[in-house]
């Protein structure tokens, strides 16, 4: 069936290193993608989004890359900090009024 | 920014009772609000979508008589878990989407429900 999934369920990085979190999606009709950060016991927090007509978008310390050929999405966090420790979810959306479909999540642990 | 609040943040109830969770968009009007359920170490599962003034659309497998959703205004949606049982214990999260033309969903902080 259609799904959004993640390659790595857990990721441990050293403080100051760059982090890369990957996500695969299966529906080529998806045209909008979002990364969310969720800290323990809290709701998801919007990080960055990208539309299907783009292949890269940068924010503050974060970059999202979209490869539609292989249906792959990644989130890069530069100079990872302890405060970045959380679970990261990718989500896809189909059409302007479509519902978000969440991937399984990757837990990022940052070692000081 | 866009802020979404939920109340209560935590609730413990006895089996058989009903629990109401409120979701409010504090600084914007939301045509559409969403209710999600999340089990520990799992992803968010969409339960239902509600549009202001109309009946909610439930995802497959979600009992509409069990999870009553009301979206009476552009800033408030409520989820009532009726006759709660221990298996209903979960983390319930709402999100809101701004008026037409905006796609970003803003999430509330979640409500932890424990049914004894």
């Amino acid at each position: 069936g259609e799904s959004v999934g993640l390659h790595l369920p857990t990721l441990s990085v050293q403080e100051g290193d760059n982090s890369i979190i990957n996500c695969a999606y299966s529906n080529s009709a998806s045209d909008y993608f979002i990364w969310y950060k969720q800290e323990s016991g809290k709701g998801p927090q919007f990080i960055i989004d990208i539309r299907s007509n783009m292949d890269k978008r940068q924010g503050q310390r974060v970059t999202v890359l979209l490869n539609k050929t292989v249906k792959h999405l990644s989130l890069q966090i530069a100079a990872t900090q302890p405060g970045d420790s959380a679970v990261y979810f990718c989500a896809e959306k189909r059409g302007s009024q479509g519902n978000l479909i969440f991937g399984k999540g990757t837990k990022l642990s940052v070692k000081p | 920014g866009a802020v979404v609040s939920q109340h209560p943040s935590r609730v413990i109830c006895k089996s058989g009772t009903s629990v109401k969770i409120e979701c409010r968009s504090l600084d914007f009007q939301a045509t559409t609000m969403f209710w999600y359920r999340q089990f520990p170490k799992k992803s968010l599962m969409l339960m239902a979508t509600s549009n202001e003034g109309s009946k909610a659309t439930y995802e497959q497998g979600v009992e509409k008589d069990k999870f009553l959703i009301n979206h009476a205004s552009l800033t408030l949606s409520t989820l009532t878990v009726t006759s709660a049982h221990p298996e209903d214990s979960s983390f319930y999260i709402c999100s809101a989407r701004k008026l037409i033309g905006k796609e970003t969903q803003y999430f509330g902080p979640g409500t932890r429900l424990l049914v004894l």
Side-chain angles (χ1 to χ4, degrees), chain A:
Chain A
E2 300 171 349
S3 65
V4 178
L6 291 169
H7 295 305
L8 298 174
T10 59
L11 177 65
S12 183
V13 300
Q14 203 71 36
E15 180 179 0
D17 288 351
N18 296 333
S19 302
I20 300 177
I21 301 172
N22 296 303
C23 178
Y25 65 96
S26 58
N27 193 323
S28 57
S30 294
D31 55 8
Y32 183 56
F33 305 88
I34 310 170
W35 280 102
Y36 286 95
K37 172 186 180 183
Q38 186 178 28
E39 297 175 320
S40 181
K42 297 183 179 180
Q45 176 186 357
F46 173 90
I47 300 174
I48 192 168
D49 59 358
I50 188 169
R51 297 190 180 280
S52 58
N53 60 352
M54 303 171 68
D55 53 22
K56 181 179 180 180
R57 190 159 189 234
Q58 287 184 294
Q60 186 177 11
R61 279 202 310 120
V62 295
T63 301
V64 55
L65 298 177
L66 175 63
N67 186 331
K68 294 181 288 295
T69 303
V70 295
K71 299 188 188 71
H72 184 266
L73 190 69
S74 69
L75 176 70
Q76 300 178 0
I77 304 174
T80 314
Q81 303 169 358
D84 295 327
S85 295
V87 177
Y88 289 80
F89 292 97
C90 64
E92 63 174 327
K93 193 162 172 290
R94 298 153 201 173
S96 61
Q97 299 301 308
N99 296 328
L100 283 178
I101 300 174
F102 281 81
K104 295 182 180 179
T106 292
K107 182 176 181 179
L108 175 65
S109 295
V110 182
K111 295 177 288 187

